[in-house]
Amino acid sequence: MAEFWAEWGALAYVAAALWAFFEGETFVLVAAAAGAATGLVDPWILIVSVWLGSFAGDQTWFTLGKKFGPSALRRFPRAEARVARAGALLERYGALFVLSFRFLYGIRNVASAACGIAGMDHRRFAVLNFIAAGIWACSFTAAGWFLGALLGPERLLWVLGGTAVTIIAVLLIRRFIRRPRLAPGV
């Protein structure tokens, strides 16, 4: 990650914003940790770039949800249950849900669209989304920064490598377990 910042310079922050547009917790944690360990990443610029990227991404999904709503869900039936769950959380918790959905695993990608589908006011969502994106950017950058400072460059590489291997192993195991098995003789 540090080499990426060394080679790309300011464009690395643009890449961070684009990554945060879609999903970015891991990227932000790793970039901040690498920055703390190497000094190549400015945490303040990283915060601003992922803040804006995350905000823009969720505004886009909100707008798409508001405009296309349930008709889009019929095209993506796997997302329907997650949107329903997000909608129920929005109805129950309101503004608190918008401020926190980035931290809830499994619904972040559909939560903004669910807010749009539910008919939430565009300005209200934009204000809450901007605040939430800032909280998210600051917290994940700070967590990564402190992790990188605590571990140092060499231990950080071992931890990141071990984490990557563990994630890949878990994904492969989950995929194997979910695979439907054929009946004997079929």
Side-chain angles (χ1 to χ4, degrees):
M1 181 66 74
E3 294 84 15
F4 175 72
W5 246 266
E7 288 179 31
W8 286 74
L11 286 177
Y13 296 103
V14 174
L18 290 173
W19 198 287
F21 183 92
F22 295 103
E23 187 81 36
E25 290 84 3
T26 306
F27 186 87
V28 175
L29 284 169
V30 172
T38 64
L40 293 173
V41 180
D42 183 323
W44 300 108
I45 299 174
L46 180 63
I47 286 171
V48 170
S49 63
V50 299
W51 183 344
L52 295 176
S54 178
F55 172 75
D58 289 323
Q59 283 302 124
T60 300
W61 296 120
F62 174 85
T63 302
L64 291 172
K66 196 161 188 81
K67 182 170 181 155
F68 297 109
S71 65
L73 283 180
R74 285 190 285 276
R75 299 182 87 194
F76 303 100
R78 291 178 61 191
E80 202 164 2
R82 293 189 320 177
V83 168
R85 181 172 172 228
L89 289 170
L90 174 64
E91 187 175 312
R92 183 170 182 186
Y93 297 106
L96 182 60
F97 172 71
V98 179
L99 292 171
S100 63
F101 69 71
R102 283 171 175 74
F103 300 95
L104 302 174
Y105 180 76
I107 63 168
R108 180 188 176 199
N109 292 337
V110 298
S112 297
C115 291
I117 291 169
M120 185 177 220
D121 178 65
H122 197 308
R123 286 178 297 225
R124 182 169 189 242
F125 180 80
V127 168
L128 291 170
N129 183 34
F130 188 75
I131 293 166
I135 294 168
W136 174 85
C138 290
S139 63
F140 276 89
T141 301
W145 195 266
F146 290 122
L147 179 67
L150 178 72
L151 295 175
E154 287 188 20
R155 280 193 236 137
L156 179 63
L157 284 175
W158 283 103
V159 168
L160 292 177
T163 302
V165 168
T166 303
I167 289 171
I168 291 169
V170 167
L171 291 174
L172 289 173
I173 290 168
R174 285 181 64 193
R175 181 161 177 88
F176 178 73
I177 290 172
R178 285 186 185 171
R179 180 178 293 159
R181 300 183 187 211
L182 296 175
V186 175

